Amino acid sequence: MNTKAALLNHAETLARTKGFDAFSYADLSREIGIRKASIHYHFPSKADLAAELIARYSQRFFDQLDDLQTESASAAEQLLGYLSIYRNAQADCGQLCLCVAFGAGRDSFGPDVLVRLDRFHRQSIDWLTALFTRAKNDGTISGENTPDIDAKACLALVEGAQLIARASKDPSLFDAAVQSLTNRIPAKETPCD
Amino acid sequence: MNTKAALLNHAETLARTKGFDAFSYADLSREIGIRKASIHYHFPSKADLAAELIARYSQRFFDQLDDLQTESASAAEQLLGYLSIYRNAQADCGQLCLCVAFGAGRDSFGPDVLVRLDRFHRQSIDWLTALFTRAKNDGTISGENTPDIDAKACLALVEGAQLIARASKDPSLFDAAVQSLTNRIPAKETPCD
DNA sequence: TTCGATCACCCTACTAGTAGGTAGGTATGA
DNA sequence: TCATACCTACCTACTAGTAGGGTGATCGAA
């Protein structure tokens, strides 16, 4: 396997489980089986690594959202798909959304990372706003809030749920918290015949 | 002022704005005007500091919740009080709830801190569950969820809202997110005559 | 009331270990 | 012959933490 890709994979896992500042090039070098100095060949500074990590993560994340959207899915189905992205990450060794992990240690990052972090949140809210707007039309998610409020609340909910579930080492806490959202999806008319 | 108290205050601010691992005894010593070694007199190890910080924070936090409860306040009023605790912290230089900050860097803490962290979340959920149970009776908060679900969702929402508002340096994001909750408080019957 | 001991509190000076990062060399394959 | 990808060996800056000494307040006893 490509060494650089392996480095990114390991670094992402470490950043999402321990935090970006909580692992060192030395840690990384031990796990990959490459000398510490060689990592600097691929990522001259740790800031470079952070920038590539968040770029790659955002790309992958919004590609997944695109996949949810292109199918002729209902708003409710899209929402469930969105939630499952966070849920899967959470269930997988308590990994946080990379942008939650980065957001917590905000101050140690340069402007390039901060810009991407901000963009991630804005893009998420935009996507969710479109989702809840659609829900107003197709009626697959109940509720009285404006799509904008719903979107921001939804983002806060999944990120917060991930955080408290991880802190308590109890993945079911995530499910319970987001149930406040899934409860708003009316049971389907039983698909008879 | 008491040096130890000053140390705790500064350490708490730093932990809540930058993260617990992101400040050193050297940073602390500069701000307090005391030598680094002298801090070890008050807190032999940084783990001791962490333990005292979270103990003090939890105490203060639940004292505030007690104050909300002893008054003959409606569930809605209690909820607004609860939200304002998080909101004020957020508005104040983007401080996180200490337990959010600690939760993010979970792995670097010893079992004593982790136990207190877990207890904080459980206690919060218990308090909120009681609140939403009360709401079922006094009708000051609408909604169909069970109090348990509402409680867990509420905790996730405020912690997540704090996080994204801070990451985007936009306090209004917090308000927008929690509006999904406050919208559930029906406008009071206009108090005529 | 003063002497001496004790204590809280802070200091200088140091340790071992780790962080990110660099200089310069080497093997390999196009 | 040149770039890629790795290496050894090193650097400086900083981390938490320790050893041991100084100072001033407090307090009990002569």
Side-chain angles (χ1 to χ4, degrees):
Chain A
M1 161 141 70
N2 188 327
T3 303
K4 184 165 182 175
L7 281 167
L8 282 168
N9 289 339
H10 273 75
E12 181 176 325
T13 303
L14 287 169
R16 293 175 66 179
T17 50
K18 304 174 57 176
F20 185 74
D21 289 331
F23 74 90
S24 68
Y25 271 27
D27 297 328
L28 218 46
S29 85
R30 268 185 294 269
E31 293 191 46
I32 301 284
I34 193 183
R35 295 293 161 170
K36 191 169 71 81
S38 306
I39 303 177
H40 284 282
Y41 170 76
H42 297 285
F43 306 100
S45 78
K46 213 183 169 191
D48 295 319
L49 174 58
E52 285 211 42
L53 272 183
I54 197 166
R56 194 181 76 140
Y57 181 83
S58 292
Q59 181 72 52
R60 204 176 59 217
F61 185 85
F62 290 109
D63 280 352
Q64 283 181 277
L65 295 196
D66 278 348
D67 289 345
L68 292 175
Q69 215 160 21
T70 48
E71 300 161 24
S72 64
S74 69
E77 285 165 333
Q78 280 182 41
L79 179 62
L80 291 174
Y82 179 84
L83 295 178
S84 73
I85 295 176
Y86 277 85
R87 207 232 111 87
N88 293 342
Q90 209 284 309
D92 182 14
C93 307
Q95 285 198 25
L96 293 177
C97 165
L98 185 73
C99 292
V100 175
F102 272 39
R106 187 191 59 171
D107 288 359
S108 52
F109 295 110
D112 50 337
V113 170
L114 292 184
V115 164
R116 285 191 181 276
L117 206 56
D118 190 47
R119 195 189 303 163
F120 177 87
H121 287 120
R122 274 211 319 278
Q123 239 175 300
S124 289
I125 291 168
D126 288 347
W127 191 87
L128 286 166
T129 302
L131 186 152
F132 283 106
T133 303
R134 184 168 183 166
K136 285 254 178 264
N137 300 322
D138 74 7
T140 54
I141 306 172
S142 68
E144 311 298 328
N145 294 322
T146 64
D148 178 62
I149 297 293
D150 265 340
K152 288 167 179 168
C154 178
L155 179 62
L157 183 70
V158 290
E159 296 208 343
Q162 228 181 30
L163 209 60
I164 64 175
R166 200 185 82 113
S168 302
K169 301 189 185 189
D170 178 8
S172 76
L173 210 47
F174 179 89
D175 297 317
V178 300
Q179 207 172 319
S180 63
L181 259 178
T182 53
N183 278 352
R184 288 171 51 191
I185 300 174
K188 235 181 199 136
E189 317 75 44
T190 45
C192 44
D193 78 287
Chain B
M1 165 150 62
N2 188 327
T3 304
K4 185 165 182 175
L7 281 167
L8 282 169
N9 289 340
H10 274 77
E12 180 177 327
T13 304
L14 287 170
R16 293 175 67 177
T17 50
K18 304 175 59 176
F20 184 74
D21 289 331
F23 74 89
S24 68
Y25 271 28
D27 297 329
L28 217 46
S29 85
R30 268 186 294 268
E31 293 191 47
I32 300 286
I34 194 185
R35 295 294 160 171
K36 191 172 71 77
S38 306
I39 302 177
H40 283 281
Y41 170 77
H42 297 284
F43 306 100
S45 77
K46 214 183 169 190
D48 297 317
L49 174 58
E52 284 212 41
L53 272 183
I54 197 165
R56 195 182 75 141
Y57 181 83
S58 292
Q59 181 72 52
R60 204 177 58 216
F61 186 85
F62 291 108
D63 280 351
Q64 282 182 277
L65 295 196
D66 279 348
D67 288 345
L68 291 175
Q69 217 160 19
T70 48
E71 300 160 24
S72 64
S74 68
E77 284 165 335
Q78 280 182 41
L79 179 62
L80 291 173
Y82 179 84
L83 295 177
S84 75
I85 295 176
Y86 278 85
R87 206 232 112 86
N88 291 344
Q90 208 284 310
D92 183 13
C93 307
Q95 285 199 26
L96 293 177
C97 165
L98 186 72
C99 292
V100 175
F102 272 39
R106 186 192 57 173
D107 289 358
S108 51
F109 295 110
D112 50 337
V113 170
L114 293 184
V115 164
R116 284 192 181 275
L117 206 55
D118 191 46
R119 194 189 304 164
F120 177 87
H121 286 121
R122 274 211 319 278
Q123 237 174 302
S124 289
I125 291 170
D126 288 347
W127 191 87
L128 286 166
T129 302
L131 185 153
F132 283 108
T133 303
R134 183 168 186 168
K136 286 254 179 264
N137 300 322
D138 74 7
T140 54
I141 305 173
S142 68
E144 311 298 328
N145 295 323
T146 64
D148 178 62
I149 297 292
D150 264 340
K152 288 167 179 167
C154 178
L155 179 61
L157 183 71
V158 291
E159 296 207 344
Q162 227 181 31
L163 209 61
I164 64 175
R166 202 185 81 112
S168 301
K169 300 188 183 185
D170 178 9
S172 76
L173 210 47
F174 179 89
D175 297 316
V178 301
Q179 208 173 319
S180 63
L181 260 178
T182 53
N183 278 352
R184 289 170 51 189
I185 301 173
K188 239 185 196 129
E189 316 78 40
T190 44
C192 43
D193 77 287

